[in-house]
Amino acid sequence: MEPWLGAALGYIKDWLAYQVEVSGQPGCIIAIAHRGEIVLEAAFGHANLDSGEKLTPRHRFRIASHTKAFTAAGIMRLREQKRLKLDDPVGDYVKDLHPEVATATLGQLLSHTAGLVRDGKDSGQFTDGRPYLDWNELLAELRLPPAIEPNSRFKYSNHGYGLLGLVIEQITGEPYPSWLQREIMTPLGLRESAPDMTLLAKTVPFARGHSRIVPLGRRAVIPGDNPTHAIMAAAGVVATAADTARFFAQLAPNAKKSLLSVASRREMVRRQWRVPQDVEEAYYGLALMSGTTAGFDWFGHGGGFQGYISRTSVIPSREIGITVLTNAIDGWAPGWANGVKFILQAFATHGAPSRKTRDWTGRWWTLWSAFDLVPFGEQVMVANPSFINPFLDAPRIEVTGRDEGRITHAAGYSSHGEPVRRVRSKSGVSEVWLGGARLRPERVLKAEMERKYPKGRRKKES
């Protein structure tokens, strides 16, 4: 492992722990794979707020629409076995569909361009309003015409992936979950994954989902253990962050080991359609989202199940796969996955700390915020762990002595050009002066605030 990556992993863990705490999220697991091996795995918070059960990296999550990439890998595997073609009409495999639905190709279903309805006439299956559709209910809705003209734009459809699950069953002659487990999960060594809750052993640790705080005024625990039935091929998989990161990492065209050929992986990753949205520029291939963040081209997928939000990004140029799982319906997984990219880019650009700077580290506090001293090469950045990009407008310190330095770069409203010094006590560095700002350890600031602002003071004054 490159020195910069080792340094980045240490800071990612500290930054994410802080993010989980200040955001008030129930829990989060992160796993990072490098060249097919897990190099970081960490869990924060709780698996169940009602019971107080602590979250661990071994807890399984509903990874929801990540499942689509598993299904697509299955389709591509069958294609490599010459059992199907991507331009085959789905009606060749599944009968009794609406004539216009039947003409949709497997490639269109994989890329969400068949024009099919997203979740049918009642999407309550994703809000605990009703069970997930069974096969008869799904087929009944697929007897209706497409919602829009096929191949006219990207239009997400869970029904489309449910239909792909039926295709796999028709070709293989066996149930989707057992085939997926044997042909995709087992060969890849995904021992902490299952196609659906119905195949997850009751003794396995499972993270429960949670609602938002509003409108109930508290986070309600959402069981999250409901079977997905006919929508299994779109949203059923249950897995750890480590298994998810490993699975997606092997889909990179430059991965050394993979279940699929390089050609199949290139076809899955290729940006086939632009996703119409204002949030960020994004694209879709065959069950894989893609985009550019922090200077990195990436691909992956997200997931949203009632009580869970998840995100995976693979950076082929660095042979890195990132999975972030959160167990709340307002989980911050997408932002945190991007934050990891910003941190990786900073370390990849500036390098691991030198002997001169490496002990200029740690989290320091003022009344306003926490600040992280993060050494890179011959300089030290003053990062803000509250930000998704903690290095946004971060001041840079040139170290001029053991405990002395100077701010050589800072934003206009910061303390550019001012001195920096560390104050030592018998136990080591006890405070940092950053220009005129006095930074101290959390416990010291906390004790001072308790003295200055005692609980009940306002009540007494009134």
Side-chain angles (χ1 to χ4, degrees), residues 125-401:
Q125 57 189 340
F126 283 98
T127 60
D128 276 354
R130 53 151 297 157
Y132 280 87
L133 298 179
D134 62 28
W135 295 117
N136 289 330
E137 291 170 322
L138 177 61
L139 285 170
E141 296 206 338
L142 292 172
R143 293 187 192 105
L144 301 174
I148 64 170
E149 185 72 20
N151 226 41
S152 59
R153 56 162 275 169
F154 174 86
K155 184 185 184 306
Y156 200 72
S157 174
N158 285 305
H159 276 37
Y161 268 79
L163 183 51
L164 286 169
L166 281 172
V167 170
I168 290 174
E169 292 195 342
Q170 291 300 311
I171 292 175
T172 64
E174 60 182 297
Y176 168 88
S178 56
W179 185 87
L180 188 77
Q181 186 91 59
R182 188 186 69 250
E183 297 294 326
I184 303 296
M185 293 179 171
T186 299
L188 290 172
L190 304 182
R191 299 181 181 88
E192 298 177 329
S193 302
D196 194 55
M197 282 299 300
T198 54
L199 297 176
L200 193 69
K202 292 183 179 180
T203 56
V204 167
F206 175 67
R208 301 296 174 175
H210 296 82
S211 71
R212 296 175 180 270
I213 293 176
V214 292
L216 195 58
R218 61 176 174 83
R219 289 195 185 273
V221 174
I222 300 174
D225 55 3
N226 41 328
T228 45
H229 302 305
I231 307 300
M232 190 183 301
V237 169
V238 185
T240 58
D243 265 12
T244 308
R246 272 193 293 258
F247 171 75
F248 276 83
Q250 61 89 37
L251 292 177
N254 61 337
K256 299 299 186 292
K257 295 180 181 180
S258 178
L259 192 68
L260 300 176
S261 68
V262 173
S264 289
R265 287 176 269 155
R266 284 178 177 161
E267 185 70 6
M268 289 181 70
V269 171
R270 183 169 63 86
R271 296 179 175 184
Q272 301 197 22
W273 289 84
R274 189 179 186 279
V275 178
Q277 60 183 25
D278 294 329
V279 178
E280 62 180 353
E281 188 167 340
Y283 299 86
Y284 208 87
L286 303 181
L288 293 175
M289 308 157 50
S290 60
T292 302
T293 305
F296 289 130
D297 288 336
W298 58 268
F299 72 84
H301 216 285
F305 201 89
Q306 47 265 51
Y308 307 84
I309 298 292
S310 51
R311 180 61 61 93
T312 294
S313 292
V314 177
I315 305 170
S317 65
R318 296 293 179 175
E319 299 178 275
I320 288 173
I322 306 156
T323 292
V324 180
L325 309 179
T326 55
N327 59 335
I329 212 159
D330 59 347
W332 288 23
W336 288 340
N338 282 344
V340 171
K341 294 172 203 166
F342 285 119
I343 294 170
L344 289 170
Q345 186 61 266
F347 279 90
T349 301
H350 300 291
S354 67
R355 292 182 62 184
K356 182 179 179 181
T357 62
R358 65 188 178 193
D359 77 326
W360 280 69
T361 187
R363 181 160 293 148
W364 302 87
W365 291 76
T366 73
L367 178 63
W368 291 92
S369 181
F371 296 91
D372 290 340
L373 295 187
V374 184
F376 296 100
E378 297 299 321
Q379 63 183 346
V380 179
M381 286 196 188
V382 185
N384 189 330
S386 299
F387 292 171
I388 290 297
N389 178 1
F391 302 111
L392 183 67
D393 281 337
R396 300 181 187 182
I397 301 170
E398 177 190 1
V399 175
T400 56

Side-chain angles (χ1 to χ4, degrees), residues 443-460:
R443 57 178 176 77
V444 175
L445 180 64
K446 183 178 178 181
E448 181 179 291
M449 290 179 67
E450 286 176 343
R451 290 194 301 271
K452 286 185 175 180
Y453 315 112
K455 190 175 182 180
R457 176 178 177 180
R458 284 181 298 176
K459 185 176 181 180
K460 291 177 183 177

Side-chain angles (χ1 to χ4, degrees), residues 43-103:
F44 311 95
H46 293 85
N48 185 327
L49 287 179
D50 281 355
S51 68
E53 180 184 356
K54 295 291 186 181
L55 194 60
T56 74
R58 304 280 67 79
H59 275 87
R60 278 63 160 174
F61 276 58
R62 301 306 298 250
I63 62 170
S65 287
H66 281 84
T67 304
K68 293 178 174 68
F70 287 80
T71 299
I75 292 289
M76 300 305 280
R77 189 163 171 80
L78 292 172
R79 180 200 191 202
E80 290 179 1
Q81 295 170 355
K82 302 189 184 306
R83 301 173 75 178
L84 59 79
K85 296 178 182 178
L86 295 188
D87 58 1
D88 287 344
V90 68
D92 287 356
Y93 303 99
V94 181
K95 306 304 178 185
D96 204 22
L97 303 172
H98 186 279
E100 292 180 40
V101 174
T103 62

